[in-house]
Amino acid sequence: HAWRTISSCEGSSVVGTARGGGSCFHIATPKGRRSASSTSRSHAAHPSTEIGAIDDLTVELHPWSKLPLQIAVGMGVASFWRGAWYVMDTSIFPDDNLKSGAACLVAGTAGLAKLQRYAASEVHKRYIAKNIPPPPSLRYGLLYGMGLSCVAVWRGTWCMWDSLFERFDPWAFKGDAGV
């Protein structure tokens, strides 16, 4: 592959090999790709990509242009998180906060361990090591499993802290005190 390097120095961006230092940053991208945010691989630039010897291509970086997408992704993640949390609230020991928290913590930890130990190595062997992109259904399935496991760990920790706080807090309401 021939690689181009996108260099940005003090607000201006150009495609070419990285030169100089200071407040510049450099991103190598595959030749022909025009997005500065597409990759951050650090391959050596092909000799034909020297500044002045390449297409006259200038890349302007506008961080604000990604803001609507970032907000939409954030809202999607929050919605997933909230929905998973509420399903766990109603289905995993709904009347016992401590048991619910312990079950979520164990299940979430087991899910993360399984995904990292087995699924990641299988994906690496079958796809990444052979330079084959994993199918979208596999990527989304693993991402969904990772998301649910993270929510379970978070919820388990939260519920257990709540349960312990309620038990040992001297100011917590301890039932009907005749008031």
Side-chain angles (χ1 to χ4, degrees):
H1 288 58
W3 290 83
R4 291 187 173 154
T5 303
I6 298 173
S7 304
S8 176
C9 297
E10 300 175 19
S12 64
S13 302
V14 295
V15 177
T17 56
R19 294 179 196 253
S23 62
C24 301
F25 65 88
H26 315 289
I27 303 171
T29 60
K31 188 173 182 179
R33 192 172 282 177
R34 302 200 181 250
S35 171
S37 62
S38 61
T39 183
S40 61
R41 297 180 198 155
S42 58
H43 295 282
H46 190 273
S48 68
T49 63
E50 293 290 330
I51 294 177
I54 61 169
D55 303 342
D56 187 25
L57 176 65
T58 301
V59 178
E60 292 295 328
L61 302 177
H62 298 286
W64 291 105
S65 67
K66 302 291 184 194
L67 188 60
L69 177 63
Q70 293 168 350
I71 290 171
V73 168
M75 291 173 65
V77 168
S79 298
F80 172 83
W81 191 276
R82 181 177 190 261
W85 190 291
Y86 284 157
V87 167
M88 290 178 198
D89 272 348
T90 60
S91 60
I92 302 173
F93 300 110
D95 297 329
D96 190 340
N97 211 21
L98 186 60
K99 282 184 186 176
S100 183
C104 283
L105 187 60
V106 168
T109 302
L112 289 173
K114 185 172 183 169
L115 284 166
Q116 291 178 9
R117 173 68 177 105
Y118 300 108
S121 64
E122 284 299 312
V123 168
H124 182 72
K125 280 192 288 190
R126 293 182 186 190
Y127 300 104
I128 296 171
K130 297 175 184 176
N131 284 335
I132 301 170
S137 59
L138 177 64
R139 289 193 329 247
Y140 293 130
L142 292 173
L143 183 62
Y144 188 77
M146 185 68 76
L148 282 177
S149 295
C150 286
V151 172
V153 167
W154 182 282
R155 184 181 177 279
T157 304
W158 191 288
C159 288
M160 290 177 70
W161 276 118
D162 281 352
S163 181
L164 291 172
F165 179 74
E166 289 170 3
R167 280 199 185 154
F168 297 110
D169 180 23
W171 293 284
F173 181 71
K174 303 290 186 191
D176 187 16
V179 179

